[in-house]
Amino acid sequence: MSAQTYLAYDYPLLSAFWTMLIFFLWIMWFVLLFRVIVDIFRDDDMSGWAKAGWLVFTICLPFLGVFVYVIARGKNMGRREVAQARAQQEAFDSYVRETAGGGTQRSSADELAKLSEIRARGDISDEEFSRAKELVLAGHAPSEPSGSAHSTSGR
């Protein structure tokens, strides 16, 4: 048996610490590299040639490219990310407002189409449909067409 066997106690605790530190620094490096590349494409102030130059510099000389990019454009990098997060939040909020408030902003044609669909399913009678239709055409959208939609839901 000429091959040397390494056991767990042959790898000291400090070496395990340094291995974990290097591993996590390596992961952090990739996170930073991808954030820089995403920021290059996110920046609307840069021209296409400038984006191509930064991208080539970052890919060909990754350590130096990322280092120089963070020094030269790192301050605005955070601002661009915050601006994008705000824009996404505003878009989401407007979507939620539009979706939640959709009943009050519908046109009368949408209300009539909804009423005819409910009548076609048999959830309301022709008489209830006529009353709800009169309300819609008069400008008062009904919240529930005569309340019978819940009574037949157990079919």
Side-chain angles (χ1 to χ4, degrees):
M1 191 153 128
S2 62
Q4 196 173 21
T5 304
Y6 289 103
L7 301 174
Y9 57 82
D10 289 335
Y11 198 69
L13 184 62
L14 190 58
S15 293
F17 171 76
W18 283 113
T19 301
M20 288 175 52
L21 181 68
I22 290 171
F23 178 72
F24 286 117
L25 286 175
W26 188 248
I27 290 173
M28 289 297 293
W29 158 248
F30 277 112
V31 168
L32 182 61
L33 177 67
F34 290 127
R35 285 191 63 178
V36 164
I37 290 173
V38 165
D39 189 65
I40 289 171
F41 287 108
R42 179 184 295 153
D43 190 6
D44 293 332
D45 297 334
M46 263 198 297
S47 69
W49 288 106
K51 288 181 182 183
W54 275 112
L55 193 62
V56 166
F57 186 42
T58 305
I59 290 174
C60 291
L61 298 170
F63 290 108
L64 184 62
V66 168
F67 183 68
V68 170
Y69 187 86
V70 168
I71 289 173
R73 303 181 53 84
K75 188 178 208 178
N76 292 330
M77 205 170 146
R79 290 182 184 148
R80 281 186 291 275
E81 189 166 343
V82 167
Q84 183 195 16
R86 281 191 185 136
Q88 285 179 338
Q89 185 65 41
E90 288 172 7
F92 177 74
D93 290 345
S94 84
Y95 171 74
V96 168
R97 268 187 250 110
E98 178 183 309
T99 304
T104 59
Q105 296 176 356
R106 283 193 193 139
S107 68
S108 58
D110 292 338
E111 287 292 328
L112 288 174
K114 182 179 173 186
L115 282 171
S116 64
E117 180 184 327
I118 292 172
R119 183 179 67 170
R121 284 194 317 242
D123 291 341
I124 60 174
S125 67
D126 288 336
E127 180 183 304
E128 291 170 332
F129 173 76
S130 299
R131 279 186 284 173
K133 180 178 157 186
E134 289 173 9
L135 284 174
V136 168
L137 292 177
H140 306 291
S143 59
E144 284 274 333
S146 300
S148 68
H150 294 294
S151 64
T152 59
S153 63
R155 287 190 225 182

